[in-house]
Amino acid sequence: MKKDEKSNEPSLIEKHALNRLNEVEQDKRRAYSKKDNNHSSQTIISVIILVIVIVLMLFSMTFS
């Protein structure tokens, strides 16, 4: 009866392996999770560059 009780409980190695597996799975989930939308500065810079390029194109067409 004692052997049955002990066989149901995971050993220290199994506990460590399960804990490590959980950590690895959480890390992998973290890699695929949606990132925060803190792209406002990147969007602003991209829009400014786009506007500058369009303005330069318009000026080059008018002066040619």
Side-chain angles (χ1 to χ4, degrees):
M1 191 163 165
K2 289 184 180 181
K3 287 184 180 179
D4 291 336
E5 291 174 4
K6 286 186 179 181
S7 65
N8 289 339
E9 295 177 12
S11 67
L12 289 176
I13 296 173
E14 290 173 337
K15 286 180 185 179
H16 178 72
L18 290 173
N19 287 338
R20 181 67 184 133
L21 180 63
N22 286 335
E23 288 177 14
V24 169
E25 287 177 350
Q26 286 177 355
D27 287 342
K28 285 187 177 183
R29 273 188 247 125
R30 198 174 303 133
Y32 292 108
S33 66
K34 188 174 180 180
K35 307 267 191 233
D36 292 336
N37 283 335
N38 291 335
H39 302 298
S40 61
S41 63
Q42 290 178 349
T43 305
I44 291 171
I45 292 171
S46 299
V47 168
I48 290 172
I49 291 173
L50 179 67
V51 167
I52 290 172
V53 168
I54 291 174
V55 167
L56 288 173
M57 287 175 58
L58 289 173
F59 276 124
S60 69
M61 286 195 303
T62 59
F63 291 123
S64 332

